[in-house]
């Protein structure tokens, strides 16, 4: 079947605010408001976003 009567994608923001999951506002993309943008920035500055993959804590006592 080739049904061409699919409902169109509703217009509007396609993204959700990563902070509060509300629809993002273009002006504050990808957030819904400046407040949420500040919250995200605060998380970065607070060190909660730790970049993984550079963990050099030695755990190699097996090789000697
Ligand atoms: Zn938000």
């Amino acid at each position: 079947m080739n049904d061409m009567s699919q409902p169109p994608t509703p217009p509007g923001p396609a993204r959700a605010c990563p902070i509060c999951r509300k629809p993002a506002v273009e002006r504050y993309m990808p957030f819904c408001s400046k407040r949420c943008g500040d919250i995200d920035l605060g998380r970065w500055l607070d060190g909660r976003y730790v970049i993984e993959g550079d963990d050099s804590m030695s755990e190699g006592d097996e090789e000697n």
Side-chain angles (χ1 to χ4, degrees), residues 6-60:
Q6 295 176 348
T9 304
R15 298 187 181 194
C17 174
I19 302 300
C20 67
R21 298 300 176 188
K22 289 181 182 177
V25 176
E26 186 177 353
R27 180 175 178 181
Y28 300 112
M29 279 290 185
F31 308 103
C32 71
S33 63
K34 185 177 184 299
R35 179 173 166 271
C36 282
D38 287 343
I39 291 173
D40 187 71
L41 179 63
R43 287 185 179 182
W44 277 97
L45 296 179
D46 202 28
R48 293 188 198 177
Y49 287 169
V50 180
I51 301 175
E52 297 185 39
D54 194 15
D55 188 0
S56 56
M57 292 292 289
S58 66
E59 196 176 323

